[in-house]
Amino acid sequence: MASYEKRGTGWQFRISWQDEQGKRHTKSNGGFRTKKLAENAAHDLEVKLAHGSHIDRADLPLVDYWHQWCTTYKIGKRAVATEYFYPIIETTLKDYFGDTPLGKITPLKWQAFLNDYGDTHARSTSSKVNGYIRAMVRTAINEQTLHTDFTFDAEISGERGVDEADKYLQLDQFAELVNLAHETADFNHLATVAVYVGAESGMRVAEVLGLTWDCVDFEANTLTINKSWDYIHHTGFKPTKNESSNRTVEVLPAVTDLLRQVKVQQAAWMLKTGQRDKHNCVFYSKYSQVLTGAACNKALKNMETKIGIPNDDQITFHGLRHTHVSYLLSEGIDIYYISKRLGHAGIQITMSTYSHLLDAQKSKQASKAMVALDKLAR
């Protein structure tokens, strides 16, 4: 039921209603030039309420709505690394918006926040924050708490930095690194073994560390990726990045020969020390634990320094994956095969991620095409 009151030169309405739990709410709005305009606005709200709108939730502070949304839809349903980011966003929203109600966040206010946030954060991080809030807003629109998307068409700012897929070694550096890794890798230098396996397979570091001995086929020279290792939060095995990441990768006999040697050395160490690994992990080290990502990156950095790669040009373990792709593309390997080898969900992801490398091969492929077409004219 709505009531109306003239205040000064304008009109105000007030409506009241009960929610599903029987709690009574009121909402008022003023500044209407005529009573008729106030009546129309009140009627619109009453219609929305009759159709299940939760306009009362728009009065919740943005940070409180975010907390409720995360708790209801996200916590316990996502990877640990993803859930780690939610409270960080909550603190950021609290610091910037305070107790500003969700319904008072306009596109202009949100853009101002993104501009400010981008001054101190990478563009990729700003984009991630905007994406999470956009998902929350869509829920708010679906439950009729909001009726417009204040994140729509927002411009992302922040430092671009170097794209991950641009971080790869030159091919002569890659060859030197692979040879050094193979020469020095053994059970006592297990992180070097991980670097060698990553370079030869294009696997992510979590996939390499998640290998168990039953994943290694010494006869077929293949590695089966069906899980990964949580080296960040130390929760043990976790699923691969996505379903398509479950795959079998062909490797050289040199890779499986090295792993066979490591298995013998690991077994001898376990026999001597009485240690056991219930998970049967390939990269269970002499420190009685599975290697960490930090240990693998440290080994990689030491090798890069040893072969003379300047600090600014050095890559992380993930850069080995991109270098692996760069080398295969330079050798004319089919992009569809590379996509499957990497465990991408589709070839478009591979083409998008490595478009700069594909462009670099364009002139070479064009020359080969012209030679092929020239044969037809003879």
Side-chain angles (χ1 to χ4, degrees):
M1 185 68 182
S3 61
Y4 305 92
E5 180 182 2
K6 188 170 185 180
R7 299 178 64 87
T9 59
W11 284 85
Q12 171 184 290
F13 74 80
R14 179 184 297 275
I15 61 174
S16 63
W17 73 96
Q18 284 185 325
D19 61 23
E20 294 93 333
Q21 287 74 42
K23 184 178 179 180
R24 182 157 293 278
H25 301 271
T26 62
K27 188 171 184 64
S28 60
N29 201 359
F32 297 98
R33 186 168 49 84
T34 65
K35 183 178 181 181
K36 184 64 176 176
L37 290 174
E39 289 174 343
N40 290 341
H43 177 71
D44 287 344
L45 276 182
E46 289 175 328
V47 169
K48 290 175 181 176
L49 287 168
H51 286 83
S53 178
H54 295 272
I55 59 175
D56 55 297
R57 288 174 57 74
D59 294 330
L60 281 174
L62 169 63
V63 66
D64 289 351
Y65 190 91
W66 165 261
H67 182 83
Q68 290 184 13
W69 180 78
C70 286
T71 302
T72 303
Y73 292 100
K74 299 297 179 181
I75 301 300
K77 304 177 181 68
R78 296 293 182 272
V80 174
T82 301
E83 292 187 3
Y84 175 79
F85 199 51
Y86 296 150
I88 295 175
I89 295 178
E90 184 170 324
T91 300
T92 301
L93 295 176
K94 179 65 175 178
D95 290 344
Y96 189 89
F97 291 103
D99 293 329
T100 303
L102 172 66
K104 297 294 184 181
I105 308 298
T106 63
L108 190 64
K109 289 180 179 178
W110 183 249
Q111 186 63 61
F113 162 75
L114 288 177
N115 294 344
D116 186 70
Y117 190 77
D119 287 341
T120 55
H121 293 82
R123 184 181 179 87
S124 59
T125 307
S126 296
S127 179
K128 186 182 293 186
V129 170
N130 187 64
Y132 284 136
I133 299 301
R134 176 170 293 166
M136 180 203 75
V137 168
R138 286 173 179 166
T139 299
I141 292 173
N142 189 55
E143 69 174 15
Q144 300 184 68
T145 294
L146 295 179
H147 299 283
T148 58
D149 180 359
F150 59 75
T151 70
F152 177 74
D153 220 19
E155 290 290 333
I156 307 301
S157 60
E159 288 191 24
R160 287 187 177 274
V162 180
D163 193 292
E164 275 296 318
D166 289 331
K167 298 178 183 177
Y168 58 93
L169 298 178
Q170 298 302 311
L171 299 185
D172 58 333
Q173 296 172 326
F174 186 46
E176 196 170 355
L177 178 74
V178 169
N179 288 329
L180 176 62
H182 185 256
E183 290 170 3
T184 56
D186 58 21
F187 178 65
N188 291 317
H189 301 88
L190 202 54
T192 303
V193 179
V195 170
Y196 181 66
V197 171
E200 289 283 359
S201 66
M203 292 165 63
R204 303 174 178 92
V205 64
E207 294 173 342
V208 172
L209 299 181
L211 287 173
T212 46
W213 285 115
D214 57 295
C215 297
V216 183
D217 190 325
F218 295 104
E219 300 303 319
N221 297 313
T222 61
L223 303 176
T224 296
I225 300 100
N226 52 26
K227 56 191 174 301
S228 60
W229 185 260
D230 181 9
Y231 60 87
I232 297 176
H233 301 285
H234 312 293
T235 60
F237 289 122
K238 63 177 183 177
T240 54
K241 187 173 183 180
N242 49 54
E243 185 60 33
S244 60
S245 295
N246 295 317
R247 63 200 188 278
T248 297
V249 175
E250 301 86 354
V251 292
L252 292 172
V255 176
T256 49
D257 286 345
L258 174 61
L259 291 177
R260 182 183 285 108
Q261 173 190 328
V262 168
K263 187 177 184 181
V264 171
Q265 294 171 330
Q266 186 189 68
W269 169 79
M270 287 183 173
L271 184 62
K272 180 179 178 180
T273 62
Q275 290 288 332
R276 293 291 181 271
D277 172 26
K278 64 180 180 179
H279 298 304
N280 199 33
C281 290
V282 172
F283 291 96
Y284 188 80
S285 73
K286 62 181 181 179
Y287 300 107
S288 303
Q289 63 179 19
V290 176
L291 288 179
T292 63
C296 295
N297 276 302
K298 182 179 180 181
L300 173 58
K301 183 176 179 63
N302 288 341
M303 283 186 280
E304 290 178 286
T305 299
K306 190 169 184 178
I307 63 177
I309 300 176
N311 284 339
D312 290 345
D313 295 333
Q314 291 182 2
I315 61 171
T316 63
F317 199 102
H318 200 67
L320 286 176
R321 181 172 166 88
H322 301 312
T323 306
H324 182 85
V325 174
S326 175
Y327 177 69
L328 294 183
L329 286 173
S330 72
E331 291 295 309
I333 305 302
D334 180 68
I335 188 66
Y336 180 80
Y337 170 78
I338 293 175
S339 181
K340 292 295 184 182
R341 185 175 178 85
L342 295 179
H344 283 167
I347 193 172
Q348 289 301 323
I349 295 175
T350 315
M351 295 181 71
S352 174
T353 305
Y354 299 105
S355 59
H356 59 298
L357 295 178
L358 291 168
D359 288 343
Q361 299 300 316
K362 188 175 180 181
S363 59
K364 182 187 294 187
Q365 294 301 316
S367 297
K368 290 174 66 175
M370 292 306 100
V371 170
L373 290 170
D374 184 57
K375 292 179 181 179
L376 296 174
R378 296 178 183 177

